[in-house]
Amino acid sequence: MYTIHFKFEQKGLEPVTIDNIAGGQSILEVAEENNIELHHNCGMVCACSTCHLYLEKGEQHVAELTDKEEDFIDRARNPKIESRLGCQCVLNDGGSGRIEVTIPDQSLIHGE
Ligand code: FES
């Protein structure tokens, strides 16, 4: 099982840690289930950049970055070396470990 520690760039939001997360779901899905705001305009099919986040630790626990994902990250606001798309960060089945994520300020993103 995984633990995901979410931090937020938006002022006033305290970090949140979610434990006992099973593999097979994306970081975006985990965020959604736990009422953590992260836009997803394309419906989680790697065709937008609104689910952009920073994967600070634990990249070995999620699906590898693809060329398509990289293309959309280039269009995100303020991309960095640790940028990923939340819908594409699917947790490895059967694994365990700690993941740390920073969510960009969602108030600056037009999305659903
Ligand atoms: S929701 Fe569109 S790329 Fe993730």
Side-chain angles (χ1 to χ4, degrees), residues 1-86:
M1 299 297 256
Y2 296 99
T3 295
I4 305 181
H5 182 68
F6 290 93
K7 292 180 282 182
F8 303 93
E9 288 189 338
Q10 194 168 339
K11 285 202 170 61
L13 294 182
E14 294 297 320
V16 175
T17 303
I18 315 288
D19 292 312
N20 297 319
I21 303 165
Q25 54 191 329
S26 69
I27 293 178
L28 172 58
E29 288 171 315
V30 174
E32 280 266 283
E33 274 167 30
N34 291 280
N35 297 317
I36 293 168
E37 187 181 18
L38 180 57
H39 291 310
H40 43 85
N41 288 12
C42 77
M44 310 187 188
V45 295
C46 198
C48 73
S49 57
T50 55
C51 66
H52 173 226
L53 51 73
Y54 304 113
L55 183 58
E56 318 276 3
K57 277 188 191 160
E59 69 272 13
Q60 71 273 27
H61 298 311
V62 305
E64 281 185 21
L65 180 69
T66 62
D67 290 345
K68 187 179 179 195
E69 182 181 352
E70 211 165 3
D71 282 349
F72 281 102
I73 287 171
D74 286 342
R75 302 177 210 183
R77 197 174 181 282
N78 198 18
K80 300 179 190 172
I81 192 78
E82 60 270 35
S83 287
R84 292 295 305 263
L85 298 178

